[in-house]
């Protein structure tokens, strides 16, 4: 099978000619494998990160300006943080903080991992390249990424939104369906319910490794599915020495200079991609000599 023709590592938006909805479908394969390759996460953590990556890419495809979507699940469980960032260019990276003593069951759900006590939080941040950051935080009320996200979206956007995610242990398929506004009549609500039921039926099936153009047509057999051209999805980590220096600037000279004097350098590592960065004592002296009060704004990212 040709994985490009089948739509792997691609995202495509679609709309229906005769129904009040539009959607996005994405398939991650080598991109998510690459994003997780250098991490020794338990299988359940990798599964949830795949789901978060699929969800983040769907959301990133809706961005109207250059920005980064950050999806985080936070709590006090064995995995207190899972984080995926996706950009408007449809690149993404993923990270989880797994406690060293954690014993994670292979079938653990998002809620199991992050907080069994029900105190987990689901956080969606939109961080534009230019302009104000937006952040929405909700209690983690559901066990899965898809349920938490669609609940959040339906409440915040005041339009019905459904999210489906499924995988085969390697590749992940993600779909978002959104009811279009101005169709809130009884008939259109019925039409929407039928669309959701049709997609529920499709996603109850095992992962189908054939082109989504085929299964979309099959799912919405009574409608005309119109696909926009597919866009590539890829892993990319934007970490760099200049971001590391910005982060160190925020930590401050008082904390870092004694360490640098003792060790000769400050060694740090990108939590997302594993890239190592070594900042010499001389570079730090220069950094703090040149630093005025101007520092990069605080960000959710680690590098
Ligand atoms: Zn990195």
């Amino acid at each position: 099978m040709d994985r490009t023709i089948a739509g792997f590592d691609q995202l495509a938006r679609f709309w229906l000619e005769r129904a009040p909805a539009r959607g996005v479908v994405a398939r991650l394969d080598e991109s998510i494998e690459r994003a997780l390759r250098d991490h020794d996460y338990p299988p359940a953590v990798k599964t949830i990160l795949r789901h978060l990556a699929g969800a983040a890419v769907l959301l990133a495809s809706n961005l109207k300006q250059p920005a980064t979507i950050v999806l985080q699940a936070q709590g006090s469980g064995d995995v207190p943080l899972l984080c995926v960032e996706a950009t408007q260019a449809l690149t993404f990276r993923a990270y989880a903080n797994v406690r060293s003593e954690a014993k994670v069951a292979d079938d653990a759900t998002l809620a199991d991992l992050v907080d069994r006590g029900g105190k987990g939080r689901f956080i969606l941040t939109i961080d534009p390249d230019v302009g104000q950051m937006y952040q929405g935080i909700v209690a983690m009320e559901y066990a899965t990424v898809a349920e938490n996200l669609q609940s959040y979206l339906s409440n915040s956007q005041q339009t019905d939104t459904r999210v489906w995610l499924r995988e085969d242990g390697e590749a992940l398929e993600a779909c978002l369906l959104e009811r279009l506004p101005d169709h809130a009549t009884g008939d259109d609500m019925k039409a929407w319910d039928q669309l959701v039921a049709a997609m529920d039926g499709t996603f109850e099936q095992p992962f189908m490794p054939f082109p989504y153009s085929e299964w979309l047509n099959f799912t919405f057999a009574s409608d005309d599915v119109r696909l926009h051209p597919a866009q590539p999805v890829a892993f990319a980590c934007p970490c760099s020495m200049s971001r590391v220096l910005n982060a160190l600037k925020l930590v401050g000279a008082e904390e870092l200079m004694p360490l640098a004097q003792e060790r000769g350098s400050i060694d740090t590592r990108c939590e997302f991609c594993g890239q190592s960065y070594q900042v010499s004592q001389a570079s730090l002296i220069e950094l703090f000599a040149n630093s005025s009060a101007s520092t990069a704004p605080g960000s959710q990212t680690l590098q």
Side-chain angles (χ1 to χ4, degrees):
M1 180 190 53
D2 184 316
R3 298 180 81 74
T4 303
I5 291 172
F8 286 93
D9 296 305
Q10 291 176 26
L11 174 144
R13 303 163 69 88
F14 63 89
W15 76 99
L16 303 172
E17 275 295 305
R18 294 191 295 276
R22 65 182 173 195
V24 192
V25 60
R27 281 177 155 179
L28 310 183
D29 184 28
E30 287 175 10
S31 57
I32 189 70
E33 197 274 329
R34 173 64 191 86
L36 300 178
R37 189 182 70 192
D38 298 323
H39 297 287
D40 190 22
Y41 297 140
V45 172
K46 289 193 172 185
T47 297
I48 304 295
L49 283 175
R50 278 189 208 104
H51 285 214
L52 281 171
V57 166
L58 292 177
L59 295 176
S61 74
N62 260 334
L63 291 169
K64 304 285 185 284
Q65 58 173 323
T68 300
I69 292 273
V70 187
L71 267 187
Q72 289 171 293
Q74 271 185 15
S76 55
D78 281 344
V79 187
L81 174 67
L82 294 117
C83 174
V84 170
E85 298 182 5
T87 69
Q88 192 205 23
L90 302 183
T91 62
F92 71 92
R93 61 179 187 167
Y95 163 72
N97 176 12
V98 184
R99 291 191 202 281
S100 54
E101 73 281 14
K103 288 191 179 64
V104 178
D106 285 356
D107 61 350
T109 65
L110 173 64
D112 292 338
L113 295 179
V114 175
D115 199 333
R116 287 171 185 276
K119 294 193 183 117
R121 300 186 305 166
F122 197 73
I123 304 169
L124 192 162
T125 307
I126 302 171
D127 189 8
D129 292 3
V130 177
Q132 192 78 31
M133 187 170 88
Y134 165 84
Q135 191 166 68
I137 303 176
V138 290
M140 198 180 296
E141 292 182 44
Y142 303 95
T144 69
V145 172
E147 289 170 304
N148 280 296
L149 180 63
Q150 74 191 13
S151 164
Y152 173 85
L153 293 175
S154 293
N155 288 328
S156 66
Q157 299 181 350
Q158 296 177 336
T159 176
D160 289 314
T161 306
R162 292 292 300 262
V163 177
W164 293 267
L165 298 164
R166 67 176 164 186
E167 60 167 342
D168 65 357
E170 292 176 358
L172 176 119
E173 192 162 60
C175 182
L176 181 148
L177 202 61
E178 184 183 5
R179 187 165 67 82
L180 291 174
D182 304 319
H183 288 84
T185 65
D187 279 354
D188 281 332
M189 278 309 289
K190 195 173 157 202
W192 166 254
D193 289 343
Q194 286 170 350
L195 297 177
V196 169
M199 192 60 90
D200 279 343
T202 291
F203 268 77
E204 278 166 13
Q205 305 296 320
F207 191 91
M208 291 184 287
F210 49 80
Y212 42 69
S213 54
E214 286 179 23
W215 69 249
L216 282 173
N217 278 318
F218 179 77
T219 302
F220 303 120
S222 59
D223 209 307
D224 281 337
V225 179
R226 302 295 165 119
L227 273 168
H228 289 279
Q231 300 165 260
V233 178
F235 162 81
C237 189
C239 68
S240 64
M241 181 55 98
S242 83
R243 284 182 177 226
V244 169
L245 293 177
N246 270 331
L248 292 181
K249 223 188 257 186
L250 294 174
V251 176
E254 277 178 28
E255 196 161 325
L256 291 175
M257 288 315 293
L259 274 176
Q261 264 155 20
E262 189 186 316
R263 298 173 190 173
S265 65
I266 296 288
D267 295 306
T268 177
R269 181 177 167 274
C270 174
E271 299 283 12
F272 286 90
C273 73
Q275 173 73 44
S276 297
Y277 293 93
Q278 188 174 61
V279 183
S280 68
Q281 193 181 348
S283 303
L284 275 184
I285 291 169
E286 192 182 341
L287 175 75
F288 289 117
N290 293 338
S291 82
S292 58
S294 68
T295 50
S299 140
Q300 295 294 310
T301 60
L302 297 166
Q303 298 290 344

